Amino acid sequence: DAGVTQSPTHLIKTRGQQVTLRCSPKSGHDTVSWYQQALGQGPQFIFQYYEEEERQRGNFPDRFSGHQFPNYSSELNVNALLLGDSALYLCASRQGEEKLFFGSGTQLSVL
Amino acid sequence: AQSVTQLGSHVSVSEGALVLLRCNYSSSVPPYLFWYVQYPNQGLQLLLKYTSAATLVKGINGFEAEFKKSETSFHLTKPSAHMSDAAEYFCAVSERGGNTGKLIFGQGTTLQVKP
């Protein structure tokens, strides 16, 4: 059983560009959350998707947007990239009130 | 608002020694509390969670944590450290009965285990 898979594993972009990160949840999971983990920091909650809708959002600007597809996979989009967006982006999935399973993340570098 | 403070960004112990990683939380509602471990270039793995069933929670790999409401603490312990325990550890809190997809994490504690 594949766990949470994220792609790509690494990505390099320049300031002002746009980026899309992808996440496939663990089999049987219908809820996906996204987190940003800056170097040396704990993960910070970006938003959560359930039934193809954003259900809860953290303190992130509108440049951060997402989508969830009917097969429960999800995308995180970041527009107008800033140097400060450089971080590890983690996707997590769950079913109901069960525990979160995290993917290995996408390392984004903004130059 | 909820928050988590992990005391000590770096903890070093000898192999076989007691591991103690400290976590204090702030929450206006009864919380769920979690400890996660992160190995290099990997995602987060749940070690244990507190959801009010018992104040002493046992997790994987010999770790346990005790919820102390009076001290607003949820410290992580392991009686005997192993070299494989070297990793980054995160304490997290979420609202009980709320959306457990939203976790508030501490800054993390790096555990070094010396031979």
Side-chain angles (χ1 to χ4, degrees):
Chain A
D1 173 27
V4 179
T5 58
Q6 294 186 242
S7 63
T9 55
H10 295 82
L11 201 54
I12 299 175
K13 291 286 188 179
T14 57
R15 281 178 298 174
Q17 284 188 313
Q18 178 265 345
V19 69
T20 297
L21 310 182
R22 295 175 175 81
C23 172
S24 293
K26 182 177 170 61
S27 177
H29 288 188
D30 60 4
T31 304
V32 173
S33 302
W34 287 92
Y35 287 79
Q36 179 194 66
Q37 186 178 15
L39 188 63
Q41 305 292 319
Q44 287 195 303
F45 177 79
I46 303 175
F47 42 53
Q48 175 169 304
Y49 277 83
Y50 172 69
E51 292 186 333
E52 302 180 49
E53 290 188 10
E54 183 183 296
R55 299 291 178 168
Q56 198 166 6
R57 188 179 183 92
N59 188 26
F60 279 81
D62 292 344
R63 297 187 298 109
F64 289 77
S65 63
H67 190 77
Q68 185 179 34
F69 299 93
N71 66 354
Y72 308 121
S73 66
S74 178
E75 290 182 348
L76 165 65
N77 301 292
V78 187
N79 293 323
L81 284 167
L82 304 174
L83 294 179
D85 295 331
S86 296
L88 179 68
Y89 288 84
L90 295 166
C91 174
S93 72
R94 67 183 175 97
Q95 172 67 38
E97 294 298 311
E98 294 185 2
K99 69 178 185 180
L100 282 177
F101 284 82
F102 281 83
S104 297
T106 294
Q107 184 66 54
L108 173 64
S109 298
V110 182
L111 306 179
Chain B
Q2 295 178 310
S3 66
V4 170
T5 301
Q6 291 185 237
L7 303 175
S9 59
H10 190 101
V11 171
S12 182
V13 300
S14 298
E15 190 174 19
L18 171 71
V19 174
L20 172 61
L21 305 182
R22 300 177 186 274
C23 171
N24 287 88
Y25 70 91
S26 173
S27 179
S28 58
V29 297
Y32 287 148
L33 293 160
F34 307 81
W35 275 99
Y36 282 85
V37 61
Q38 186 176 35
Y39 297 100
N41 301 315
Q42 294 188 27
L44 297 161
Q45 180 182 8
L46 180 67
L47 282 175
L48 50 81
K49 65 178 181 180
Y50 165 76
T51 56
S52 83
T55 57
L56 183 62
V57 182
K58 295 187 182 299
I60 62 172
N61 301 337
F63 285 94
E64 64 181 36
E66 186 173 9
F67 172 71
K68 292 187 176 181
K69 183 178 179 180
S70 61
E71 299 177 8
T72 61
S73 69
F74 190 58
H75 302 330
L76 181 71
T77 60
K78 182 174 181 178
S80 177
H82 192 273
M83 296 297 292
S84 62
D85 295 327
E88 188 80 11
Y89 291 80
F90 293 96
C91 182
V93 64
S94 73
E95 290 186 4
R96 181 183 302 181
N99 189 328
T100 55
K102 179 181 180 181
L103 300 178
I104 307 298
F105 285 88
Q107 298 281 72
T109 298
T110 301
L111 176 64
Q112 179 187 23
V113 182
K114 298 176 292 186

